[in-house]
């Protein structure tokens, strides 16, 4: 079998034109399948993470900031918008409210830890229900003023993070979201005063609004199961003195789901149509080469080589080509599609979370499997066709031509 | 002889086109962020890449026109540091905007890396083909 493999390899190397003609559609097909699977899996992974992230029924933001807040939910880029009153306490006492938590954003401040800017968020550890599902390890003793929770893309040094010249203990790291949230640092609200003071001392630019301490950026509300969200909203309109806008994260999620279904249909359609066309092309190429090799096969049969050995040789050649072609196709997929993951997400306005190394390897194996199966199927009839004519007829026909 | 001429045409055109690709990536295909008053890092990367792309395209043109193999080997070798700069400028030397919500970070940077890596592969294959001919020539002598 090994010697046969070596012979086949020699044949493949010798027949440049036919090898290239076979490899091109196989590589193109593999590229299409691999790229499709890669984008498909990354979008659905991003969507799953989004579902987990949009874990509130309602989100209140200052008036006129709804659009920016939606952008924050989808892409994780925070804005500098603030409530001037502590509305969290008022809402928590309303009827039908199950849980309320608030956050304060300090948008994009440069940090000693990182080459890029980080987004600083202050949150209430006691009432929080948004961060905890994202924290990979549980915080056992609560979070203190000199401690932080960091996003996935931030690398601490010896368990510490330096920010505005101060060192903070990292108590937990969040899971990957594929958005700007990965570059966030989370402080408890109790550290707000101290962090703002240090930031100002170190020359960070703070707006007048940011310097006032009792501010909130957003308030997240979960209503009791079965309770009408509009009734809670009515109470908010009556009791809150400050004007606000409402964003419904779960509604965004369902509309995103619909959009994603459309993208999936398009993507799957492209893979199926492209796959069918390339399989047909592959079949045609096999037929053309089967016809051109009839004389060779006939001679081998006359010289006493068994049909089984010839079939083995043809199959091995086909498998070799499929393996090389699909390997190349996947390599091109990694080369040309993988680096543009975030760009695809940005263009589609969808959360995009690329695969890990192991997942990509599995996708690679899966693609090679599909391509080899399709390649074998496409060569079934041509291989049978080669043996369809008696050697002397095949030789005579070649002679006549 | 015909094969050698074909190789010259194919690789010369590929390098010329890739040079144009490098120059058009930060300007047309994946434009960098629009700079208002303040010029960001990606602006300088764009300027540098336009220059590099033009230089690569010019070398590609020379590779198409010049027949002498030794000169083509020299030109291909001179391409390597230029191609390295195509990747190094946006990643280390000049950089792009840091936020991954900026178009230069998610579009221009990966596109330049891909264009640069394609050029590296093309140049190395071309050099291999040119020097292989040399080996065969020496063997025959």
């Amino acid at each position: 079998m090994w010697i046969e493999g070596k012979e086949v390899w020699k044949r493949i190397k010798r027949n440049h034109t036919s090898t290239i003609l076979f490899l091109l559609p196989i590589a193109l097909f593999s590229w299409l399948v691999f790229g499709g699977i890669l984008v498909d899996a990354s979008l659905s992974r991003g969507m799953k993470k989004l579902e987990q992230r949009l874990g509130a029924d309602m989100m209140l933001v200052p008036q006129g900031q709804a659009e920016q807040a939606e952008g924050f939910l989808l892409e994780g880029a925070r804005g500098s918008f603030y409530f001037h009153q502590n509305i969290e306490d008022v809402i928590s006492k309303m009827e039908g409210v199950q849980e309320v938590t608030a956050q304060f954003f300090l948008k994009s401040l440069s940090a000693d830890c990182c080459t890029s800017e980080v987004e600083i968020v202050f949150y209430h550890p006691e009432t929080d229900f948004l961060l905890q599902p994202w924290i990979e390890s549980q915080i056992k003793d609560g979070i203190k003023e000199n401690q932080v929770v960091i996003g996935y893309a931030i690398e601490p040094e010896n368990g510490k993070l330096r920010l505005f010249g101060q060192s903070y203990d990292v108590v937990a790291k969040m899971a990957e979201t594929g958005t700007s949230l990965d570059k966030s640092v989370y402080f408890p609200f109790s550290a707000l005063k101290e962090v703002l003071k240090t930031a100002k001392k170190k020359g960070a630019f703070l707006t007048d609004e940011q310097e006032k301490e009792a501010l909130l950026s957003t308030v997240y509300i979960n209503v009791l199961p079965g309770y009408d969200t509009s009734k809670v909203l009515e109470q908010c309109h009556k009791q809150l003195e400050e004007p606000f806008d409402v964003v419904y994260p779960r509604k965004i999620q369902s509309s995103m789901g619909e959009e994603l279904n459309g993208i999936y249909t398009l993507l799957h359609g492209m893979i199926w149509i492209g796959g069918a066309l390339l399989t047909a092309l592959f079949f045609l190429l096999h037929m053309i080469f089967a016809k051109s090799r009839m004389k060779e096969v006939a001679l081998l049969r006359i010289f006493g080589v068994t049909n089984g050995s010839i079939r083995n040789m043809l199959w091995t050649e086909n498998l070799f080509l499929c393996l090389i072609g699909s390997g190349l196709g996947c390599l091109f997929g990694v080369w040309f599609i993988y680096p543009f993951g975030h760009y695809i997400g940005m263009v589609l306005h969808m959360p995009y979370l690329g695969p890990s190394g192991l997942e990509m390897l599995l996708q690679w194996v899966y693609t090679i499997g599909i391509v080899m199966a399709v390649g074998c199927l496409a060569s079934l009839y041509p291989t049978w066709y080669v043996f369809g004519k008696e050697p002397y007829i095949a030789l005579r026909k070649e002679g006549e031509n | 002889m015909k094969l050698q001429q074909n190789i010259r045409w194919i690789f010369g055109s590929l390098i010329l086109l890739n040079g144009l690709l490098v120059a058009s990536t930060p300007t047309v295909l994946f434009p960098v962020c629009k700079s208002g008053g303040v010029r960001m890092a990606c602006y300088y990367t764009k300027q540098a890449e336009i220059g590099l792309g033009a230089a690569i395209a010019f070398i590609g043109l020379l590779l198409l026109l010049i027949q002498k193999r030794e000169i083509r080997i020299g030109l291909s070798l001179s391409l390597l540091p230029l191609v390295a700069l195509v990747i190094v400028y946006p990643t280390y030397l000049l950089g792009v905007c840091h936020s991954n919500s900026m178009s230069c970070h998610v579009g221009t940077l990966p596109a330049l890396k891909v264009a640069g890596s394609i050029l590296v592969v093309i140049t190395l294959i071309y050099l291999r083909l040119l020097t292989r001919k040399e080996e065969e020539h020496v063997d025959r002598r």
Side-chain angles (χ1 to χ4, degrees), chain A residues 9-126:
Chain A
W9 179 240
K10 270 185 198 167
R11 286 178 58 86
I12 290 173
K13 275 171 77 176
R14 205 167 45 233
N15 303 329
H16 287 120
T17 321
S18 62
T19 304
I20 291 171
L21 275 175
F22 266 108
L23 282 183
L24 270 177
I26 301 172
L28 202 63
F29 179 47
S30 318
W31 181 76
L32 190 76
V33 173
F34 182 79
I37 294 173
L38 187 80
V39 174
D40 189 308
S42 301
L43 284 175
S44 56
R45 198 178 298 109
M47 192 64 199
K48 264 184 202 155
K49 294 279 181 186
L50 180 84
E51 281 168 19
Q52 289 170 13
R53 196 168 76 232
L54 305 182
D57 291 328
M58 284 196 292
M59 178 179 166
L60 300 195
V61 290
Q63 199 172 39
Q65 304 297 337
E67 204 175 312
Q68 212 178 345
E70 281 180 17
F72 151 63
L73 284 171
L74 301 176
E75 282 143 32
R78 297 186 175 90
S80 304
F81 43 80
Y82 302 101
F83 280 114
H84 297 89
Q85 289 166 358
N86 193 350
I87 58 170
E88 190 186 1
D89 290 341
V90 184
I91 297 169
S92 64
K93 285 168 195 150
M94 287 177 189
E95 201 189 319
V97 173
Q98 188 183 25
E99 41 190 2
V100 187
T101 193
Q103 287 185 350
F104 176 94
F105 306 149
L106 261 187
K107 195 180 176 252
S108 292
L109 292 176
S110 60
D112 308 359
C113 63
C114 314
T115 48
S116 60
E117 291 170 330
V118 296
E119 294 189 355
I120 297 174
V121 183
F122 294 88
Y123 77 109
H124 283 304
E126 313 82 42

Side-chain angles (χ1 to χ4, degrees), chain A residues 252-263:
Chain A
I252 294 177
Q253 181 190 319
S254 63
S255 74
M256 293 274 293
E258 279 165 24
E259 255 179 71
L260 196 64
N261 281 338
I263 293 169

Side-chain angles (χ1 to χ4, degrees), chain A residues 75 77 108 115-117 119 178-180 182-183 335-336 339-344 346, chain B residues 29-30 98-103 105-108 110-114 117-119 121:
Chain A
E75 282 143 32
S108 292
T115 48
S116 60
E117 291 170 330
E119 294 189 355
T179 63
S180 302
D182 292 340
K183 280 188 179 170
W335 197 3
F336 299 128
F340 294 100
H342 284 296
Y343 186 76
I344 295 170
M346 202 168 95
Chain B
L29 299 173
F30 295 92
H98 292 302
S99 170
N100 58 5
S101 57
M102 308 289 263
S103 63
H105 190 100
V106 292
T108 322
L112 284 172
K113 279 185 190 170
V114 170
S117 54
I118 293 172
L119 259 169
V121 174

